[in-house]
Amino acid sequence: MNALGLGESLLGFRPSIPLILSLKRQFDLIAIAGSLFIISIAFDQTFTGHYWALLIVAHFVAGRVFDELGLFRSWPEASFGRYRQGLIFGWCIVIAILLFLGYVTKFSSEYSRRVLLTWFFVVPIMLLLLSNAFSQTRIVRALSRQDARKALIIGVNDLGLNLARAIRKDPKLSMEIHGFFDARRSDRLSLGPLDTLVGGLHGLPDFVRQQNITTVFIALPMTANPRMVQIVQELQDTTASIYFVPDLLVYDSIQPKIDSVGSIPVIAVCETPFQGADGLIKRASDLLLTGIALLLLWPLMILLATGVKLSSPGPVFFRQRRYGVNGKEIRIFKFRSMTVLEDGANVPQATRDDPRTTKFGAFLRRTSLDEIPQLFNVLLGEMSIVGPRPHAVAHNETYRSLIQGYMIRHKVRPGITGWAQVHGLRGETRTLDDMKSRVDYDLDYLRRWSLWLDLRIMARTVRIIFKDKMAY
């Protein structure tokens, strides 16, 4: 997400250097599929329908995973080490997904293990070698020069200056800013050291034609006054692409994007990040990781359940009402860690040395093991592994009227762990500012979501879980 709060796709600049990255993407995916065919032939394996199915699934899974990690967009600007790290990490995710699908569909026995192991090992090495060779070809260098774009920005204001910074910050856009146009004098403008006022609006069309400007951004209020209409009409006498930049800075926007209803363009100011394919990816990753976690943790869960039952009277599981996606009420599962089962209109927050906490419950809460049963909530589709942590209904009703945008966090499934939690915002929220900080991180997660961010949060959760001083 850039400084404007707009995704690159909003302005049509994703992928960057479009033709090159499109070629590179298809080149890699064909190489992944082709290598499977070659390796199977080398091991005297008949390339049956099962292998064709694996080839097709691997093509789409690898493409989506690599896209989510930004692997194609980071090439060729990224250093070799960074690209190699991302490629190996992404391929490991692809392998995990393919193995899980093979286990679920019972098709894994149809493949030669020698073929699969060789393929898993060969692909990243092959892609690294091919990537280096591909980047050195004359056609790639020629296309890089050809796709470079010259841009102008109309309007020296916060919107235009932020747009300029976003473009300069992202070299993958392959765009060079040739200056600003504004009707006001330079002494009335707040230009930065890298910003140049080329002239007033009257000389704009001639400059665009003479300098072969390919893209013009209009960062002025979208009004129907005659001067704005005239600017657009004059620019239409050039070959430059023309973009209006909507001023979403005045809103606390979540996942802003442009769409259309019929032929009418609309701008989303607040939307969930999990629409369409992204929603499927989020749900598939939840099911994959939850299935793996339950397979690994079921012996531990039995031990913890026994510990809860033997340490104090009462049920093993604690269930409490929380708000789920779109504010729908759900009941989350936890290992009981207290002597009470509060779920009414007034639910006191857990505090350090809380007298309601049992001795075994204190251990569960300190290590966050009491949260493990929420994996069942994930399986039921009520929660996600990563997302804003759900609060008791009583707490939601209190804070929704005190913190602006509080309920926006319920546009997605609540999570077992979240962006706020890995930044130390766990435990009791003693003040309103504490809760506001937590909500700010939750909303930042909605703005920035990607599969890569989810994986980062999970990795940080595992790393800090045993040394988190906020857990009690």
Side-chain angles (χ1 to χ4, degrees):
M1 197 67 66
N2 59 29
L4 288 170
L6 298 173
E8 293 169 7
S9 58
L10 181 59
L11 298 178
F13 301 132
R14 182 175 177 178
S16 58
I17 320 180
L19 183 55
I20 296 176
L21 292 187
S22 179
L23 289 174
K24 175 65 166 58
R25 186 181 190 278
Q26 296 305 319
F27 188 73
D28 283 0
L29 297 179
I30 291 172
I32 290 172
S35 63
L36 176 62
F37 179 81
I38 294 172
I39 292 171
S40 64
I41 298 301
F43 281 102
D44 296 324
Q45 293 290 314
T46 303
F47 207 76
T48 62
H50 292 296
Y51 279 99
W52 280 108
L54 176 60
L55 183 149
I56 294 171
V57 172
H59 181 278
F60 285 104
V61 171
R64 190 63 193 185
V65 169
F66 288 172
D67 282 342
E68 286 298 321
L69 295 179
L71 197 62
F72 298 118
R73 284 180 284 123
S74 66
W75 182 91
E77 288 87 0
S79 65
F80 179 76
R82 182 179 176 185
Y83 178 78
R84 178 184 60 197
Q85 181 181 4
L87 174 62
I88 294 174
F89 181 70
W91 182 240
C92 288
I93 295 176
V94 173
I95 291 174
I97 294 174
L98 294 178
L99 291 176
F100 177 75
L101 292 176
Y103 174 80
V104 171
T105 59
K106 309 299 183 183
F107 282 166
S108 56
S109 59
E110 301 293 333
Y111 304 102
S112 165
R113 293 190 178 183
R114 289 196 304 165
V115 170
L116 293 184
L117 289 175
T118 304
W119 184 52
F120 291 161
F121 179 76
V122 165
V123 164
I125 298 175
M126 176 190 64
L127 291 183
L128 288 172
L129 294 175
L130 291 177
S131 179
N132 184 62
F134 190 77
S135 63
Q136 300 301 318
T137 59
R138 291 183 179 180
I139 186 172
V140 169
R141 292 197 293 268
L143 288 174
S144 297
R145 292 191 296 269
Q146 178 181 333
D147 280 346
R149 287 165 288 186
K150 300 179 180 180
L152 280 180
I153 299 177
I154 302 175
V156 181
N157 49 35
D158 289 342
L159 186 61
L161 294 171
N162 280 330
L163 175 64
R165 281 192 288 268
I167 292 174
R168 294 190 186 104
K169 187 177 179 180
D170 192 352
K172 298 187 295 299
L173 292 176
S174 189
M175 183 175 293
E176 180 182 355
I177 299 176
H178 281 245
F180 287 79
F181 275 78
D182 199 293
R184 296 168 294 174
R185 300 191 310 269
S186 59
D187 59 351
R188 298 178 57 193
L189 305 174
S190 301
L191 293 165
L194 299 178
D195 303 318
T196 302
L197 181 65
V198 179
L201 299 180
H202 61 279
L204 177 60
D206 291 337
F207 185 86
V208 170
R209 284 189 288 266
Q210 294 168 4
Q211 299 298 321
N212 295 317
I213 300 298
T214 59
T215 307
V216 177
F217 295 104
I218 302 178
L220 298 174
M222 290 187 289
T223 61
N225 67 66
R227 185 56 182 139
M228 180 62 68
V229 174
Q230 182 182 355
I231 290 173
V232 175
Q233 290 176 341
E234 290 175 348
L235 287 174
Q236 287 176 336
D237 190 39
T238 72
T239 59
S241 300
I242 307 169
Y243 290 90
F244 272 109
V245 185
D247 190 2
L248 299 183
L249 291 171
V250 298
Y251 307 104
D252 188 14
S253 54
I254 304 293
Q255 294 292 325
K257 57 185 174 183
I258 290 180
D259 207 334
S260 61
V261 178
S263 60
I264 302 174
V266 294
I267 299 177
V269 177
C270 182
E271 182 56 277
T272 174
F274 305 129
Q275 286 191 315
D278 287 334
L280 291 176
I281 289 173
K282 176 71 168 175
R283 184 63 181 146
S285 63
D286 279 340
L287 291 175
L288 172 64
L289 295 171
T290 300
I292 294 173
L294 288 174
L295 287 174
L296 296 175
L297 296 176
W298 70 264
L300 175 62
M301 294 179 69
I302 292 176
L303 290 175
L304 295 177
T306 303
V308 172
K309 195 65 179 176
L310 295 178
S311 62
S312 62
V316 170
F317 295 110
F318 165 59
R319 299 179 65 195
Q320 189 179 66
R321 293 177 303 130
R322 306 284 173 100
Y323 281 165
V325 63
N326 294 324
K328 181 181 178 181
E329 193 173 285
I330 63 173
R331 289 186 180 271
I332 66 163
F333 300 99
K334 298 177 71 172
F335 281 124
R336 182 176 56 83
S337 60
M338 292 186 171
T339 57
V340 295
L341 300 171
E342 296 166 319
D343 189 23
N346 181 26
V347 179
Q349 293 189 42
T351 60
R352 193 178 298 276
D353 301 322
D354 196 310
R356 298 171 296 169
T357 304
T358 66
K359 290 184 178 180
F360 189 69
F363 163 74
L364 292 176
R365 298 179 69 89
R366 186 170 60 253
T367 56
S368 297
L369 293 174
D370 61 323
E371 310 283 0
I372 291 180
Q374 288 168 34
L375 291 170
F376 295 112
N377 289 110
V378 177
L379 285 181
L380 293 172
E382 298 172 335
M383 292 183 65
S384 178
I385 292 180
V386 178
R389 282 292 297 155
H391 302 146
V393 169
H395 299 160
N396 277 333
E397 295 305 319
T398 298
Y399 288 112
R400 67 186 303 173
S401 61
L402 300 176
I403 300 175
Q404 184 176 359
Y406 179 89
M407 291 301 291
I408 295 176
R409 62 201 298 277
H410 296 292
K411 294 191 71 64
V412 299
R413 292 185 180 94
I416 298 176
T417 185
W419 193 226
Q421 283 64 48
V422 298
H423 282 87
L425 296 172
R426 292 193 57 194
E428 181 187 8
T429 49
R430 295 182 176 86
T431 67
L432 183 62
D433 286 341
D434 289 340
M435 180 60 78
K436 187 178 185 304
S437 296
R438 183 179 292 184
V439 172
D440 287 343
Y441 273 107
D442 289 338
L443 299 185
D444 187 52
Y445 170 77
L446 267 64
R447 296 186 188 96
R448 301 176 52 187
W449 179 83
S450 68
L451 181 60
W452 174 240
L453 179 60
D454 274 2
L455 294 172
R456 281 178 56 198
I457 292 172
M458 283 184 266
R460 289 181 63 174
T461 299
V462 172
R463 188 169 64 247
I464 68 175
I465 197 167
F466 293 110
K467 61 177 182 179
D468 188 355
K469 296 180 181 179
M470 294 297 294
Y472 48 83

